[in-house]
Amino acid sequence: MNSDARPGELGAFLKARRAELSPATVGLPADTSRRRVSGLRREEVARLAAISTDYYTRLEQGRIQASAPVLDALVRVLHLDDDQRTYLLDLAGRPAARTPRRTSQRVRPGLRRLLDDLGATPAVVLGRRMDVLAWNPLAAALVTDFSKIPARRRNYIRLVFTDPGIRDLYADWENVAHTCVAQLRMEAARNPADPRLAALVGELSVQDADFRRWWAAHHVAVRGVGTKTLRHPVVGDLTLDWDTLATTTDPDQQLVVWSAEPGTPSHDALRILASWTDAAVPSRPAGGATAATLEP
């Protein structure tokens, strides 16, 4: 068996995905008998994937490794999206999971310059495990004062689950938090030997029942784009678009920016917050970013 494969996690992921599908979803005839399991049965998945029930059972139990054609069939049968397919292949050891780097994370110069130039746009740089590596003053005014958080605990998903102010900030906190868990689950597949990621998962699993439940569901996602509604204590409600910008030289560092449609109340509120932020930090150039170095 490929040494990079993690059959136990692969089996749990397959089980979670088939539990979300109904026979009607995959084109099977209606079943009037009492079903002992939610979603699809193992034999139904096996039949749709053109493999034996015994083969699929052993695969889900972690006793065998799936071939590439079988994995492709399961992607089709379980209606996996691109992120879930990538996660499935990582768990199966195809391709091999990346070896986590042990170097300290420093903000890349190009991202730092972007932060310096974004005086009217809230922006942060996220690293591995969603560690907050750098931010500009407007991001601190919008989300939280990251400088008051010890560097080794300055992690976005930890703040989402443990900081009451951030829970109140997001109008749809549950969706935001669930997406963070799915993004962290994807990173865990790519860097399974990262001890700090394992410690973070353990910490949040103990502290929060929602995190524990969502982590066990094996949903996956990557950082991309979206829209969030924030209930800011100073400027009121804002509807902001967020975008993630990654560099090809270091995909572990990503710039996340929030913006609002020009001419909207949210855009005006963001400009007001930016002007107040500039007035509150006269010794720092407008847009001046704050950065930190995190140990591996």
Side-chain angles (χ1 to χ4, degrees):
M1 181 174 289
N2 189 320
S3 61
D4 291 316
R6 297 184 297 289
E9 294 182 39
L10 175 62
F13 179 68
L14 292 173
K15 186 175 181 179
R17 296 290 73 75
R18 69 179 172 88
E20 294 179 337
L21 297 174
S22 67
T25 302
V26 296
L28 292 176
D31 186 354
T32 58
S33 63
R34 183 180 179 85
R35 300 179 71 87
R36 293 184 299 173
V37 297
S38 60
L40 297 179
R41 300 186 179 103
R42 284 174 174 168
E43 55 267 29
E44 291 169 333
V45 175
R47 182 164 74 251
L48 291 168
I51 57 179
S52 71
T53 301
D54 177 67
Y55 182 98
Y56 180 77
T57 299
R58 287 186 290 148
L59 177 62
E60 200 172 271
Q61 292 175 343
R63 292 189 287 151
I64 60 172
Q65 183 179 15
S67 65
V70 167
L71 292 173
D72 288 340
L74 292 175
V75 168
R76 172 180 53 80
V77 170
L78 297 175
H79 295 193
L80 303 186
D81 60 26
D82 289 343
D83 294 344
Q84 292 170 328
R85 178 182 181 276
T86 300
Y87 182 70
L88 177 74
L89 295 179
D90 282 336
L91 292 181
R94 302 172 181 269
R98 295 182 302 172
T99 301
R101 286 174 286 178
R102 294 290 180 253
T103 56
S104 299
Q105 284 196 286
R106 296 178 182 272
V107 180
R108 292 188 56 78
L111 292 182
R112 179 61 183 269
R113 286 192 295 271
L114 276 176
L115 278 179
D116 288 340
D117 290 339
L118 294 174
T121 302
V124 298
V125 176
L126 299 182
R128 297 190 292 271
R129 305 168 293 268
M130 290 187 233
D131 288 337
V132 180
L133 301 182
W135 59 94
N136 62 10
L138 189 52
L142 178 68
V143 181
T144 190
D145 188 350
F146 297 106
S147 66
K148 293 183 178 180
I149 303 168
R152 286 186 64 83
R153 297 193 60 79
R154 200 178 289 143
N155 175 277
Y156 203 81
I157 190 170
R158 177 185 281 116
L159 294 173
V160 166
F161 277 93
T162 64
D163 188 312
I166 291 184
R167 277 184 179 257
D168 292 339
L169 177 67
Y170 287 115
D172 187 9
W173 176 88
E174 183 170 323
N175 182 59
V176 171
H178 193 188
T179 300
C180 284
V181 175
Q183 293 169 344
L184 193 67
R185 172 60 86 169
M186 177 69 85
E187 183 166 349
R190 293 172 176 162
N191 298 285
D194 184 344
R196 286 194 60 195
L197 192 151
L200 176 64
V201 170
E203 172 192 336
L204 295 179
S205 295
V206 170
Q207 293 184 6
D208 194 280
D210 285 329
F211 180 92
R212 187 164 58 250
R213 175 165 53 89
W214 293 332
W215 185 261
H218 287 260
H219 292 140
V220 291
V222 296
R223 301 172 199 162
V225 299
T227 301
K228 290 184 173 67
T229 299
L230 283 68
R231 299 177 296 206
H232 196 272
V234 176
V235 295
D237 291 352
L238 303 97
T239 299
L240 302 178
D241 297 323
W242 61 275
D243 293 87
T244 302
L245 310 175
T247 64
T248 57
T249 53
D250 187 355
D252 284 337
Q253 292 192 26
Q254 297 177 319
L255 179 71
V256 181
V257 298
W258 291 270
S259 63
E261 180 78 21
T264 63
S266 294
H267 185 261
D268 294 340
L270 206 56
R271 290 174 64 89
I272 292 171
L273 187 61
S275 65
W276 289 349
T277 302
D278 287 342
V281 286
S283 61
R284 178 181 297 167
T290 303
T293 298
L294 291 185
E295 297 303 315

